[in-house]
């Protein structure tokens, strides 16, 4: 026996969805193994009677609103058994109407639980729609601030890029000036530094001294 925990009407309230698994496999085995039409019908009626009894027991023991949902699930763990139960005329409808019990097989149980989960998620979003909108508004405001900060950062980067371009331009100008200096003749360089005049003066002094 199992129960699925579901949210209740109030905050923190819990409602349980009863699930009872039944295994009338002996009757189903007889139905599968026989080829006699009378035996097949007899096994089918036995399965139907067993499921009615189990549904009545589930209603009496497990369906207790408001602590539980007003219906329960009777789980049949074999797809062939579930198909046979649905094949019995009016059986599924009778179990739902008289005992508030729904049949579920391996595939349909998973689909049913997924549907319940999505339904309660949607309900929770609807009940807290004001909070959702408040969060979305805050996100929008923060995103706007982020856009402003990003634009400011881009402006600073553009200014830095322009400064780098100006520095590169000045560097190229200085490089050209340095190349002009390197291209000057040696005599001009000596004249500019005063080395040539010093040598001539020394020679003259030497001549005067010797004289």
């Amino acid at each position: 026996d199992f129960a699925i925990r579901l949210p209740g009407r109030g905050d923190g309230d819990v409602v349980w969805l009863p699930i009872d698994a039944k295994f009338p496999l002996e009757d189903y085995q007889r139905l599968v193994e026989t080829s006699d039409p009378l035996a097949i019908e007899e096994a089918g009626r036995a399965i139907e009677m067993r499921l009615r009894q189990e549904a009545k027991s589930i209603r009496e023991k497990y369906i207790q609103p408001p602590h539980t949902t007003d219906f329960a699930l009777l789980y049949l763990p074999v797809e062939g058994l579930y198909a046979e139960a649905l094949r019995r005329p009016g059986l599924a409808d009778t179990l739902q109407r008289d005992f508030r019990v729904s049949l579920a097989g391996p595939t349909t149980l998973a689909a049913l639980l997924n549907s319940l989960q999505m339904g309660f998620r949607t309900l929770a979003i609807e009940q807290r729609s004001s909070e959702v909108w408040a969060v979305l508004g805050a996100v929008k405001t923060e995103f706007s601030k982020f856009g402003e900060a990003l634009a400011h950062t881009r402006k600073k980067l553009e200014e830095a890029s322009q400064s780098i371009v100006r520095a590169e331009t000045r560097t190229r100008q200085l490089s050209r000036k340095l190349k002009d200096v390197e291209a000057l003749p040696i005599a001009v360089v000596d004249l500019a530094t005063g080395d040539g005049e010093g040598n001539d003066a020394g020679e003259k002094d030497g001549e005067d001294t010797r004289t």
Side-chain angles (χ1 to χ4, degrees):
D1 297 342
F2 297 90
I4 303 298
R5 182 176 178 176
L6 303 175
R9 293 184 177 180
D11 292 339
D13 292 344
V14 174
V15 177
W16 299 95
L17 169 61
I19 301 179
D20 197 2
K22 298 302 178 183
F23 302 84
L25 296 181
E26 295 180 359
D27 297 325
Y28 177 69
Q29 195 69 30
R30 287 197 298 269
L31 184 147
V32 172
E33 293 177 353
T34 186
S35 59
D36 183 6
L38 293 178
I40 291 175
E41 183 61 27
E42 182 180 354
R45 286 197 299 269
I47 291 174
E48 181 176 344
M49 184 178 298
R50 174 75 182 279
L51 293 180
R52 288 177 182 270
Q53 294 173 351
E54 296 296 347
K56 181 180 179 181
S57 175
I58 291 172
R59 183 193 63 180
E60 294 174 349
K61 292 192 299 184
Y62 302 126
I63 301 179
Q64 302 292 334
H67 305 293
T68 69
T69 56
D70 61 351
F71 70 98
L73 298 180
L74 197 162
Y75 175 61
L76 302 177
V78 180
E79 290 289 359
L81 176 60
Y82 174 67
E84 179 61 27
L86 295 182
R87 193 179 68 84
R88 306 301 299 179
L91 176 59
D93 293 336
T94 300
L95 297 183
Q96 289 179 347
R97 182 181 62 254
D98 296 344
F99 306 109
R100 306 293 297 172
V101 171
S102 298
L103 297 175
T107 302
T108 55
L109 179 62
L112 177 61
L113 294 180
N114 286 333
S115 298
L116 287 173
Q117 184 182 40
M118 293 302 298
F120 280 107
R121 283 182 178 177
T122 302
L123 179 61
I125 291 175
E126 291 177 353
Q127 292 176 344
R128 305 182 64 179
S129 60
S130 60
E131 297 180 23
V132 172
W133 282 113
V135 172
L136 291 177
V139 171
K140 182 179 179 181
T141 301
E142 291 299 325
F143 188 80
S144 177
K145 293 180 180 178
F146 174 74
E148 294 176 359
L150 189 62
H152 180 71
T153 302
R154 186 179 66 177
K155 181 179 179 181
K156 291 298 183 182
L157 290 175
E158 290 176 352
E159 292 176 355
S161 177
Q162 293 174 359
S163 297
I164 293 173
V165 170
R166 287 195 296 269
E168 290 177 345
T169 302
R170 297 295 298 172
T171 301
R172 287 193 297 270
Q173 293 175 352
L174 292 173
S175 297
R176 285 196 295 269
K177 294 295 183 180
L178 291 175
K179 288 181 179 179
D180 293 341
V181 171
E182 292 175 355
L184 289 176
I186 296 176
V188 175
V189 174
D190 292 341
L191 181 62
T193 57
D195 290 342
E197 295 177 357
N199 292 337
D200 293 341
E203 291 176 356
K204 290 179 179 180
D205 292 343
E207 290 176 358
D208 295 337
T209 303
R210 286 193 299 270
T211 302

